[in-house]
Amino acid sequence: MKHLLGIETLSREEIERILETTQAMLEISQREVKRVPTLRGRTIINLFLEPSTRTRVSFEIAAKRLSADAINVSASGSSLSKAETLTDMAKNLVAMNADLLVVRDRTAGVPQMLAERVRAPVVNAGDGTHEHPTQALLDAFTIRQALGSLDGRRIAIVGDIAHSRVARSDIYAFTKLGAEVRVAGPPTMIPKGIEMMGVKPCHSMPEALDGADVVVMLRIQRERLAGALFPSVREYAATFGLGFQSLRYAKPNAIVLHPGPVNRGVEIAAEVADAEPSRILDQVTNGVAVRMAVLYLLTGNHS
Ligand code: CP
């Protein structure tokens, strides 16, 4: 693996290797002194051209826990505002002997484009509606942590499937790891032909959650919605929001995931987000370990 641009091109074995490495990294994160010298002397540049809290901060913490130097660059205050191209800026950053570039951009394909043009490994931290591979890896890790394995598990992904890079990456990861995946949302939010990805489209919560071991709720992405894809937020919440009423359709011990940030009262009720079935904060904790694993596998000295 030279770059991590998406889950689509990874094999099950490659995903398993990252998840196994994540377990070791989680143990480091649980120590009193959460730092090892593994990547001492390496320089990681986090180029975030779209807002982020969890992904940006966790990549920075991940680099520091491995003793690498982490430099954060955002669009505001960069030379992009002086009409420098993104490629030129990335080449200049890598020319400072950066060892790895983490990239988030609102346009699909930007991490791939930079990977073809710069002399450093590139990690996709979310590109438009395309992929968010480290989110899918941390989601898969969180499910394994709770349930042991994804093999044969039924997973429902609910929300704006069409505009969600998390949904795409989750579908690739979960199906490669042996899960049965259902997707649900208003018809305007379910891409035509989604069955080709090996998932079952559903148009109601009872159908989607029936017998589910895991429910992944997606954020309604107001910033990506070009037009009104559902009549009102209130109607969306009543039809596809997750409350304890709708969670009854899933298995009694089903767990609930959400990539964040959460729109409380829209896609998920606050009482569910904060309750026992919710693994939302476990996802965040595991996100640091997943990103440590990815940085190590792409820049560390290992066989
Ligand atoms: N899940 C996720 O990508 O969150 P951020 O936008 O805060 O990074």
Side-chain angles (χ1 to χ4, degrees):
M1 214 170 65
K2 186 169 185 306
H3 308 280
L4 177 61
L5 301 173
I7 302 293
E8 184 179 8
T9 52
L10 295 187
S11 64
R12 177 173 181 147
E13 290 67 34
E14 287 170 316
I15 295 172
E16 300 270 12
R17 181 155 191 228
I18 297 170
L19 299 183
E20 277 155 26
T21 310
T22 298
Q23 185 59 46
M25 297 301 174
L26 190 62
E27 282 154 24
I28 295 169
S29 290
Q30 288 162 342
R31 294 179 192 168
E32 194 179 337
V33 178
K34 306 172 193 60
R35 188 179 285 251
V36 291
T38 312
L39 297 186
R40 190 164 54 202
R42 304 281 202 284
T43 303
I44 310 295
I45 296 190
N46 295 322
L47 181 55
F48 275 68
L49 304 174
E50 192 187 49
S52 168
T53 298
R54 282 147 287 270
T55 314
R56 182 178 57 78
V57 175
S58 62
F59 266 112
E60 183 176 355
I61 292 175
K64 288 178 174 171
R65 289 205 176 146
L66 294 171
S67 298
D69 293 314
I71 313 298
N72 297 317
V73 180
S74 58
S76 78
S78 78
S79 290
L80 291 175
S81 62
K82 294 189 278 188
E84 184 173 37
T85 67
L86 181 54
T87 301
D88 277 340
M89 188 168 86
K91 282 183 173 173
N92 278 263
L93 292 170
V94 172
M96 297 176 204
N97 290 329
D99 294 287
L100 185 140
L101 203 55
V102 179
V103 179
R104 170 172 285 196
D105 196 273
R106 64 201 292 273
T107 306
V110 163
Q112 168 86 48
M113 185 267 289
L114 293 180
E116 289 163 7
R117 296 176 186 192
V118 301
R119 288 178 292 104
V122 173
V123 176
N124 179 1
D127 61 331
T129 58
H130 175 227
E131 281 225 41
H132 192 350
T134 55
Q135 179 69 48
L137 291 165
L138 74 89
D139 289 349
F141 185 86
T142 304
I143 295 168
R144 281 201 353 180
Q145 192 178 50
L147 306 178
S149 163
L150 277 76
D151 268 313
R153 297 292 186 179
R154 185 174 288 178
I155 304 178
I157 305 176
V158 181
D160 185 2
I161 309 298
H163 297 88
S164 174
R165 57 195 178 205
V166 174
R168 288 172 65 83
S169 291
D170 273 354
I171 289 168
Y172 289 131
F174 298 168
T175 53
K176 283 174 197 245
L177 292 171
E180 177 204 325
V181 179
R182 296 177 176 192
V183 297
T188 48
M189 292 181 164
I190 305 289
K192 284 200 172 32
I194 188 85
E195 299 91 337
M196 305 281 281
M197 293 183 78
V199 303
K200 179 182 174 197
C202 304
H203 297 293
S204 73
M205 289 295 262
E207 184 188 7
L209 268 59
D210 179 39
D213 299 285
V214 181
V215 183
V216 179
M217 298 305 297
L218 299 174
R219 179 172 71 91
I220 290 299
Q221 302 185 56
R222 298 168 207 248
E223 75 275 23
R224 280 189 232 285
L225 297 180
L229 296 179
F230 50 87
S232 73
V233 168
R234 201 163 158 193
E235 185 165 333
Y236 181 86
T239 315
F240 288 103
L242 185 70
F244 278 119
Q245 277 291 101
S246 43
L247 192 55
R248 279 185 303 125
Y249 300 116
K251 283 191 179 156
N253 295 329
I255 60 167
V256 175
L257 273 58
H258 189 302
V262 169
N263 292 309
R264 287 170 179 259
V266 181
E267 67 267 2
I268 187 167
E271 61 185 19
V272 176
D274 298 332
E276 176 62 26
S278 165
R279 300 300 160 107
I280 295 173
L281 293 180
D282 290 341
Q283 289 173 269
V284 178
T285 303
N286 294 334
V288 176
V290 157
R291 286 155 186 142
M292 289 168 75
V294 168
L295 296 181
Y296 168 68
L297 291 170
L298 288 174
T299 67
N301 293 324
H302 54 81
S303 54

